[in-house]
Amino acid sequence: MYFEVHGLTTPNAPTLVLSSGLGGAAQFWQPQLADLVEDYRVIVYDQLGTNRSPATLPSDYRIVHMADELLTLLDKLDVSQCHLIGHALGGLVGLELAKAQPERLTSLVLINAWSSPNSHTQRCFNIRKALLASGRKDIYLQMQALLLYPPDWIVANQDKLTKEEAHHLANFPDKNNLLARIQALSMFDIDPYLGDIHTPTLVIANKDDMLVPWQRSQILVEHMPNASLTTMEYGGHACSITVPTVFNRILHRHLNAFA
């Protein structure tokens, strides 16, 4: 997988691994990098089958496979322990890691994540799949913006979004890979194991998230022994992009507890 390492280079530097959502892109974390590199070694990566990590994903692809791929990368980089910060799908990867190899995680940050399917998010996935089947990649990207960002943010950033969507349209991901990743999200269910995950965990939820009901984060906190919840009133599903100053402050507050 394509990866980048930023920040501190000392062998014992505290390490952050940032794992993004359905898009799988390292670039997703650009609003956080400058704020983190002075104090941490920061690893970002393009998930397998996305962006600069080309691959053909099998139809039975699951979140556990994504977790295994990340563990392989961590072994390659000699990372024995890290803070895992995961947005949506990336949070699900973090939960799978905490279940399988808890000794690898100093802490876990779950951003607008979930532990099992829910009917609202499944409807959103169904619409995405229908748009892919129709061949309307441009409308798929417009729908994606509606799920990621608050309405007023979309209006205020229309020029930026138009340019980004043109770029994404020209570099649209492989449809079968995208469908395999959506299916992996739809099948994920770790509810029976939440009580066994003792990794210190910060759960961040946005009350205006249009993709994932924020109450799904409450479920995580209610069943994970060492989890706490921070709710944000504004920012949408991609709050790390729309309100990075607020988000970065919350993240630093969590990480400072381990300094």
Side-chain angles (χ1 to χ4, degrees):
M1 292 189 297
Y2 174 86
F3 67 91
E4 299 171 2
V5 181
H6 301 268
L8 300 182
T9 58
T10 53
N12 296 322
T15 300
L16 311 181
V17 177
L18 310 184
S19 186
S20 54
L22 179 60
Q27 184 68 21
F28 178 83
W29 301 101
Q30 198 63 37
Q32 280 65 59
L33 285 181
D35 218 34
L36 296 172
V37 293
E38 289 188 8
D39 300 310
Y40 300 96
R41 174 171 58 168
V42 183
I43 299 170
V44 294
Y45 67 106
D46 286 348
Q47 294 166 10
L48 198 66
T50 75
N51 303 287
R52 294 160 290 185
S53 297
T56 299
L57 303 178
S59 58
D60 62 348
Y61 195 57
R62 296 292 181 264
I63 298 295
V64 66
H65 299 131
M66 302 180 201
D68 289 342
E69 291 153 7
L70 179 54
L71 284 171
T72 299
L73 176 61
L74 296 181
D75 288 342
K76 176 180 179 178
L77 297 176
D78 293 323
V79 176
S80 59
Q81 198 169 59
C82 64
H83 299 272
L84 193 288
I85 300 161
H87 176 259
L89 180 150
L92 277 51
V93 173
L95 285 167
E96 198 65 60
L97 255 64
K99 171 176 169 278
Q101 293 196 22
E103 70 279 2
R104 301 292 286 263
L105 298 180
T106 307
S107 81
L108 188 58
V109 179
L110 307 175
I111 307 148
N112 293 324
W114 62 93
S115 57
S116 60
N118 74 85
S119 58
H120 172 80
T121 305
Q122 192 59 53
R123 285 172 179 261
C124 296
F125 290 156
N126 288 341
I127 294 170
R128 277 175 156 165
K129 289 189 287 187
L131 289 172
L132 288 172
S134 74
R136 291 301 306 269
K137 298 175 181 178
D138 56 334
I139 303 301
Y140 178 95
L141 292 171
Q142 290 190 39
M143 175 66 181
Q144 179 169 277
L146 297 178
L147 296 176
L148 290 177
Y149 311 123
D152 62 323
W153 192 92
I154 290 176
V155 172
N157 292 271
Q158 182 56 39
D159 291 343
K160 175 183 176 182
L161 278 176
T162 299
K163 292 177 182 177
E164 286 184 356
E165 287 170 356
H167 172 77
H168 291 316
L169 186 60
N171 299 275
F172 201 82
D174 178 85
K175 184 179 79 169
N176 290 331
N177 280 356
L178 193 47
L179 288 171
R181 287 169 60 78
I182 291 173
Q183 182 69 3
L185 287 172
S186 301
M187 298 291 291
F188 182 76
D189 187 345
I190 204 170
D191 277 349
Y193 303 98
L194 289 179
D196 300 324
I197 298 176
H198 292 267
T199 302
T201 301
L202 170 64
V203 180
I204 300 175
N206 281 81
K207 288 192 172 182
D208 63 345
D209 187 342
M210 293 295 292
L211 177 60
V212 183
W214 71 272
Q215 292 87 350
R216 306 308 295 181
S217 292
Q218 282 185 315
I219 292 172
L220 290 167
V221 173
E222 288 168 0
H223 292 88
M224 295 173 67
N226 293 318
S228 62
L229 176 65
T230 294
T231 57
M232 299 173 63
E233 297 293 330
Y234 178 82
H237 188 63
C239 59
S240 57
I241 292 176
T242 58
V243 285
T245 301
V246 177
F247 174 85
N248 292 352
R249 189 182 307 126
I250 292 170
L251 183 57
H252 272 295
R253 189 163 62 237
H254 167 77
L255 294 172
N256 287 343
F258 299 89

